Amino acid sequence: MAANITTEYRMNDERMLIQIFVVLFLCINLLLITTFFTKEVFYTTMRYVLFAVTLMSDCVFLFLADILLILNYSRYTIQMWLCLIMYIISSLYMFVTPVTLTAMTLERYVAICLPLRHAELCSPRSTLHGILIIHSLSSLPCIVFLSIFFASASYSSYTQFRICTLEIFIIHTWQGHLTSAINQFYFLIMCITIVFSYVKIMRAAKAASGEDKQSTWRGLRTVGLHALQLLLCLIQLWCPFIETAVFKINLMLFIKVRFFNYITFILAPRCLSPLIYGLRDEMFFNALKRLALCGLRKKH
């Protein structure tokens, strides 16, 4: 009895900690999104537009992931059609962030290694096309997974009340294997892109001199941070399968693993975005500082 009470208190503490983190990250991201719209140069430059896409994607994903986590912790059941809508949106934006990070890495590669073609390849029109391609690529795994579910599930199953988890959509064992294979394929392509860009920028950094050298090494550090953020985001794609395996072994271990995965692979990568562009980018940081100072002055 005492052990159950202790466990319940620990779970409540974990829930409270997660809510604090989520609210904090959402507030920071919303402040950064507001800053993005304060200067024309931000929404006409590809790297800033892609940065805004990751912020908006992170906000949507964090909000839905938090709702699903609360529902899971409380063992609250909802109709499967509503769970399906939440899963579609969260699945889409789970991929949007890593795919956008890969696109941002390629933008840095073009800016440093192909500077004469940067204006042409990274124009506002190309940025719009890039965002459409990012969302198309991000939706493919979800489309494949849901097509199998729609073909296999009965009509009555959509009105059933269930605890909303990924597992309720896996009707056949091979669905999980197929999803894992698609995730690993994306992981491989993104890793190859990151490594290719990093090596090319490193060569450019060694060959550059003076101010160009400083700018190139700064770009190299940015790509390095993208690589770390991308790695954490991509590990997240494997988390549902790890959690499913652990759930079959021990319930308490499953709860601990899920909490660790949520903090490490969902929250942590999404707090790196403000660090990479919100604080490290001088122009964006100055605009952010002016916005924050104006807000404080208005309060006084």
Side-chain angles (χ1 to χ4, degrees), residues 60-124:
V60 173
F61 181 77
L62 279 176
F63 180 72
L64 285 176
D66 190 47
I67 290 175
L68 290 172
L69 192 74
I70 292 169
L71 292 176
N72 274 268
Y73 265 127
S74 59
R75 312 298 291 173
Y76 189 82
T77 58
I78 60 174
Q79 284 190 316
M80 277 190 67
W81 67 266
L82 180 57
C83 179
L84 187 64
I85 292 171
M86 294 173 73
Y87 171 75
I88 290 170
I89 299 172
S90 62
S91 177
L92 170 65
Y93 285 102
M94 181 176 70
F95 276 94
V96 164
T97 294
V99 174
T100 307
L101 287 172
T102 307
M104 291 170 80
T105 301
L106 286 173
E107 187 276 333
R108 286 294 82 201
Y109 160 72
V110 172
I112 292 167
C113 299
L114 303 170
L116 298 178
R117 299 200 62 195
H118 184 262
E120 174 194 347
L121 295 175
C122 301
S123 64

Side-chain angles (χ1 to χ4, degrees), residues 80 145 148-154 157 166-176:
M80 277 190 67
F145 187 82
I148 299 168
F149 174 76
F150 289 143
S152 306
S154 62
S157 65
L166 173 67
E167 290 74 25
I168 66 174
F169 300 113
I170 300 177
I171 298 172
H172 308 290
T173 307
W174 56 267
Q175 273 180 273

Side-chain angles (χ1 to χ4, degrees), residues 185-209:
F185 174 73
Y186 271 65
F187 180 88
L188 179 64
I189 296 299
M190 291 178 193
C191 283
I192 290 172
T193 305
I194 289 282
V195 171
F196 169 80
S197 301
Y198 193 86
V199 170
K200 289 288 187 181
I201 294 172
M202 184 177 285
R203 287 178 180 172
K206 289 179 179 178
S209 60

Side-chain angles (χ1 to χ4, degrees), residues 5-229:
I5 293 172
T6 304
T7 302
E8 186 64 33
Y9 274 123
R10 190 184 299 119
M11 287 174 65
N12 287 334
D13 289 342
E14 289 176 356
R15 285 179 224 173
M16 186 61 68
L17 182 63
I18 287 172
Q19 296 314 305
I20 292 169
F21 277 129
V22 169
V23 170
L24 179 63
F25 293 153
L26 285 176
C27 288
I28 292 171
N29 281 4
L30 288 172
L31 178 62
L32 293 171
I33 290 168
T34 305
T35 305
F36 169 77
F37 288 105
T38 58
K39 294 185 75 172
E40 186 180 353
V41 67
F42 294 146
Y43 48 87
T44 55
T45 305
M46 177 179 270
R47 62 187 173 126
Y48 292 117
V49 173
L50 293 178
F51 171 52
V53 169
T54 63
L55 290 174
M56 292 175 189
S57 169
D58 289 346
C59 285
V60 173
F61 181 77
L62 279 176
F63 180 72
L64 285 176
D66 190 47
I67 290 175
L68 290 172
L69 192 74
I70 292 169
L71 292 176
N72 274 268
Y73 265 127
S74 59
R75 312 298 291 173
Y76 189 82
T77 58
I78 60 174
Q79 284 190 316
M80 277 190 67
W81 67 266
L82 180 57
C83 179
L84 187 64
I85 292 171
M86 294 173 73
Y87 171 75
I88 290 170
I89 299 172
S90 62
S91 177
L92 170 65
Y93 285 102
M94 181 176 70
F95 276 94
V96 164
T97 294
V99 174
T100 307
L101 287 172
T102 307
M104 291 170 80
T105 301
L106 286 173
E107 187 276 333
R108 286 294 82 201
Y109 160 72
V110 172
I112 292 167
C113 299
L114 303 170
L116 298 178
R117 299 200 62 195
H118 184 262
E120 174 194 347
L121 295 175
C122 301
S123 64
R125 185 181 178 85
S126 299
T127 303
L128 179 60
H129 291 161
I131 292 171
L132 293 174
I133 292 169
I134 285 167
H135 282 77
S136 299
L137 290 173
S138 301
S139 64
L140 284 177
C142 184
I143 290 170
V144 172
F145 187 82
L146 291 176
S147 297
I148 299 168
F149 174 76
F150 289 143
S152 306
S154 62
Y155 179 76
S156 59
S157 65
Y158 295 104
T159 55
Q160 293 176 4
F161 283 83
R162 303 279 295 275
I163 295 173
C164 191
T165 61
L166 173 67
E167 290 74 25
I168 66 174
F169 300 113
I170 300 177
I171 298 172
H172 308 290
T173 307
W174 56 267
Q175 273 180 273
H177 299 318
L178 177 62
T179 305
S180 179
I182 292 171
N183 290 348
Q184 289 177 39
F185 174 73
Y186 271 65
F187 180 88
L188 179 64
I189 296 299
M190 291 178 193
C191 283
I192 290 172
T193 305
I194 289 282
V195 171
F196 169 80
S197 301
Y198 193 86
V199 170
K200 289 288 187 181
I201 294 172
M202 184 177 285
R203 287 178 180 172
K206 289 179 179 178
S209 60
E211 289 184 10
D212 287 341
K213 195 176 188 71
Q214 285 185 340
S215 175
T216 305
W217 279 108
R218 197 160 50 244
L220 194 63
R221 286 194 295 272
T222 301
V223 172
L225 285 169
H226 281 328
L228 174 62
Q229 190 179 9

